[in-house]
Amino acid sequence: MNILLSIPNDGTANNYLINALQDLGHSVFYVDHRRSLDFANGFVNHTLQQEKIDYMFVGHLADGQTYTAHFLRMLKVNYPDLKILSVFFDVYIDGKFTWDNSRFVELMKEYHYSFFVTPTDVEKLRNLGVNAHEMFFGFDHSMKLSTVPDKDLDISFIGQFG
């Protein structure tokens, strides 16, 4: 599979993710949208024109400054086989709960799948029309190391971007 990662370069978590995906046999293309959104837009367009990308994975920053809803709609029209995923690691965006921020809700509606770390985000955002899912986020301190999740997961997120 070809995966386009658009996540902040923190020098640690993004490298773990890239290495894990490559170890699983995937081709990974990477851009840091925090560097410059204009640069990221150009990189995404260029990469999609040159390669058949299966998934675009976008890791959000707390300020919510990533691709615009218009840009995502354009990608979906021009690359109908591309699946666009969003991952968000906080419950606030621009100082509001995710579900209380109308700009953020409308942006999340443009993603094929959006992943959040809290069930509250998932429940409230689903009710607003977002295809929201909860992601397994590391291990809770109450879990024993011998505990195995009931799902077969290739990657678990431990830590944070940024």
Side-chain angles (χ1 to χ4, degrees):
M1 229 182 294
N2 289 341
I3 299 172
L4 173 57
L5 292 177
S6 181
I7 57 177
N9 180 6
D10 70 353
T12 305
N14 61 321
N15 291 330
Y16 292 141
L17 186 56
I18 291 167
N19 291 337
L21 289 168
Q22 288 174 336
D23 287 348
L24 290 168
H26 303 296
S27 296
V28 179
F29 302 85
Y30 170 76
V31 65
D32 178 354
H33 56 254
R34 182 171 57 186
R35 175 179 163 188
S36 160
L37 198 50
D38 287 337
F39 173 81
N41 286 345
F43 180 89
V44 168
N45 274 324
H46 176 76
T47 303
L48 291 171
Q49 290 170 8
Q50 301 299 314
E51 304 286 339
K52 193 225 180 270
I53 302 295
D54 300 295
Y55 291 95
M56 179 174 163
F57 177 106
V58 179
H60 284 274
L61 299 173
D63 63 8
Q65 300 304 311
T66 57
Y67 303 98
T68 64
H70 173 77
F71 184 76
L72 295 173
R73 281 191 294 274
M74 182 271 305
L75 290 180
K76 287 164 46 177
V77 168
N78 291 336
Y79 307 98
D81 294 334
L82 174 69
K83 295 297 179 210
I84 308 170
L85 296 79
S86 168
V87 176
F88 192 69
F89 293 95
D90 206 345
V91 295
Y92 295 101
I93 192 84
D94 302 329
K96 298 178 182 177
F97 283 113
T98 56
W99 57 85
D100 284 335
N101 186 312
S102 60
R103 181 188 64 82
F104 183 72
V105 170
E106 292 308 308
L107 179 63
M108 289 299 102
K109 287 180 181 179
E110 295 302 325
Y111 287 90
H112 291 100
Y113 305 95
S114 293
F115 297 91
F116 299 88
V117 295
T118 67
T120 305
D121 278 300
V122 172
E123 177 186 336
K124 291 189 181 246
L125 289 166
R126 275 188 183 171
N127 289 336
L128 296 171
V130 175
N131 189 11
H133 302 272
E134 187 177 0
M135 67 180 149
F136 186 72
F137 191 61
F139 286 92
D140 181 89
H141 66 80
S142 65
M143 295 176 75
K144 297 180 179 162
L145 291 178
S146 62
T147 302
V148 178
D150 61 350
K151 296 180 179 158
D152 183 19
L153 303 171
D154 290 327
I155 297 173
S156 174
F157 295 94
I158 301 174
Q160 66 183 31
F161 295 121

